[in-house]
């Protein structure tokens, strides 16, 4: 019985993940154009044919329709398909990683998510949902910043609502950790923005302040450096391919969002590994 419930919970988590990220796809396309979000969710983007429910199932419809609209034959966006799969995987990661609230050290405990299923622990469920909503907003920022090179203030405001909830319920992060998190990356970014205009956008700075308030200074720092590393490598690749000159810019937000998600999932392990490496190098 427990095994059955466990598998059911895993499938449910995957479904919530894919459906949520599918919805994030829609908002990401419509938000910059200020279109109505809900009304047009179920039409083909090119021929505007009304789609049947089984034609808009995340992940599966794309496979079933072989990546094409069955009315006009226009290719469906591969990016939406990939984003839906990532949503499912992230929901599973959050489910396994944060099933245990008491674990301050961040160790992976497989038996722990069972508590949610078997005892229906509302508190744990609330923690999982908060972190997953946080990931949905980061995904939205990722896509919109990638498309428009801008992070709308409205997304930052929504993150602040998540921050209020996270102050109350996220385990292992003290109130002071949260507060330092709001300034430890954003303030240095602000100073660098004054020193080197165009180094970062104001949106990146506001995003980092809100994220720091949610996950605390340790994790936001790890996430920032992962993002910086990713953007640096990407910049080198672009320069090597000579697709962009030195004065061109690319959006930094997607790298930040990815870094912040990785740090939320396994930042504690990254810090531990770094400490061990540092201790080893010092003899
Ligand atoms: Zn079509």
């Amino acid at each position: 019985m427990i095994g059955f419930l466990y598998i059911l919970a895993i499938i449910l988590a995957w479904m919530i993940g894919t459906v949520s990220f599918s919805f994030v796809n829609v908002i990401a396309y419509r938000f910059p154009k200020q279109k109505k979000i809900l009304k047009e969710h179920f039409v083909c983007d090119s021929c505007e044919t009304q789609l049947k429910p089984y034609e808009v199932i995340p992940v599966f419809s794309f496979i079933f329709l072989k990546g094409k609209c069955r009315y006009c034959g226009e290719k469906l966006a591969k990016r939406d398909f990939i984003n839906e799969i990532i949503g499912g995987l992230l929901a599973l990661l959050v489910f396994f990683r944060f099933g245990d609230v008491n674990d301050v050290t961040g160790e992976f405990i497989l038996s722990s998510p069972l508590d949610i299923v078997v005892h229906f622990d509302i508190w744990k469920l609330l923690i999982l949902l908060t972190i997953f909503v946080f990931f949905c907003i980061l995904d939205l920022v990722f896509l919109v910043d990638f498309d428009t090179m801008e992070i709308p203030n409205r997304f930052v405001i929504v993150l602040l609502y998540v921050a209020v909830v996270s102050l109350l319920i996220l385990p292992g992060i003290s109130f002071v950790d949260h507060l330092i998190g709001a300034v430890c990356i954003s303030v240095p970014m602000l100073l660098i923005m004054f020193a080197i205009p165009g180094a970062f956008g104001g949106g990146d700075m506001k995003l980092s302040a809100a994220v720091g308030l949610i996950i605390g200074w340790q994790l936001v720092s790890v996430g920032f450096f992962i993002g910086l590393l990713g953007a640096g490598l990407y910049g080198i690749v672009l320069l090597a391919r000579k697709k962009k000159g030195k004065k061109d810019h690319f959006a930094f937000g997607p790298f930040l969002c990815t870094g912040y998600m990785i740090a939320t999932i396994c930042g504690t392990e990254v810090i531990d590994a770094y400490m061990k490496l540092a201790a080893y190098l010092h003899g």
Side-chain angles (χ1 to χ4, degrees), residues 131-232:
I131 293 167
F132 191 68
V133 168
F134 172 49
F135 279 13
C136 288
I137 301 162
L138 287 182
D139 186 48
L140 184 59
V141 173
F142 182 119
L143 296 173
V144 170
D145 194 27
F146 182 82
D147 289 340
T148 66
M149 298 271 288
E150 248 174 72
I151 301 173
N153 280 330
R154 244 193 269 184
F155 298 168
V156 178
I157 291 166
V158 179
L159 280 175
L160 290 177
Y161 285 117
V162 176
V164 173
V165 180
S166 75
L167 280 170
L168 300 171
I169 67 166
L170 282 197
I173 305 165
S174 74
F175 189 70
V176 176
D177 290 344
H178 283 288
L179 291 187
I180 299 173
V183 294
C184 71
I185 296 297
S186 60
V187 171
M189 277 177 107
L190 188 67
L191 296 177
I192 292 170
M193 273 164 59
F194 280 122
I196 314 163
F200 302 110
D204 299 325
M205 189 267 294
K206 285 179 258 181
L207 171 75
S208 300
V211 169
L213 193 58
I214 295 171
I215 59 178
W217 68 269
Q218 297 93 334
L219 296 182
V220 80
S221 305
V222 172
F224 179 78
F225 284 109
I226 294 172
L228 203 59
L229 200 67

Side-chain angles (χ1 to χ4, degrees), residues 20-232:
S20 307
F21 272 48
S22 169
F23 195 62
V24 169
N25 278 334
V26 177
I27 303 174
Y29 285 121
R30 308 292 151 99
F31 192 87
K33 297 171 202 153
Q34 299 287 336
K35 281 189 183 177
K36 276 182 188 154
I37 288 161
L38 271 171
K39 200 182 158 194
E40 298 180 43
H41 188 186
F42 298 114
V43 298
C44 167
D45 281 328
S46 20
C47 65
E48 301 199 340
T49 308
Q50 191 81 29
L51 299 172
K52 299 196 174 66
Y54 65 84
E55 289 166 339
V56 289
I57 301 165
V59 181
F60 292 104
S61 288
F62 186 92
I63 298 167
F64 172 70
L65 298 168
K66 291 173 189 140
K68 281 181 198 162
C69 171
R70 62 189 288 183
Y71 303 101
C72 65
E74 190 68 32
K75 275 186 185 165
L76 301 172
K78 248 185 219 139
R79 136 176 163 177
D80 296 4
F81 175 62
I82 293 166
N83 196 49
E84 285 161 5
I85 290 178
I86 289 172
L89 292 177
L90 282 175
L92 288 181
L93 278 174
V94 170
F95 179 73
F96 286 124
R97 175 63 179 78
F98 295 96
D100 186 29
V101 275
N102 300 316
D103 193 46
V104 184
T105 61
E107 273 176 59
F108 179 87
I109 298 175
L110 187 64
S111 65
S112 173
L114 276 174
D115 285 354
I116 302 162
V117 188
V118 179
H119 306 119
F120 200 70
D121 191 330
I122 298 279
W123 188 251
K124 282 186 181 178
L125 197 63
L126 201 61
I127 290 171
L128 295 187
L129 284 178
T130 305
I131 293 167
F132 191 68
V133 168
F134 172 49
F135 279 13
C136 288
I137 301 162
L138 287 182
D139 186 48
L140 184 59
V141 173
F142 182 119
L143 296 173
V144 170
D145 194 27
F146 182 82
D147 289 340
T148 66
M149 298 271 288
E150 248 174 72
I151 301 173
N153 280 330
R154 244 193 269 184
F155 298 168
V156 178
I157 291 166
V158 179
L159 280 175
L160 290 177
Y161 285 117
V162 176
V164 173
V165 180
S166 75
L167 280 170
L168 300 171
I169 67 166
L170 282 197
I173 305 165
S174 74
F175 189 70
V176 176
D177 290 344
H178 283 288
L179 291 187
I180 299 173
V183 294
C184 71
I185 296 297
S186 60
V187 171
M189 277 177 107
L190 188 67
L191 296 177
I192 292 170
M193 273 164 59
F194 280 122
I196 314 163
F200 302 110
D204 299 325
M205 189 267 294
K206 285 179 258 181
L207 171 75
S208 300
V211 169
L213 193 58
I214 295 171
I215 59 178
W217 68 269
Q218 297 93 334
L219 296 182
V220 80
S221 305
V222 172
F224 179 78
F225 284 109
I226 294 172
L228 203 59
L229 200 67

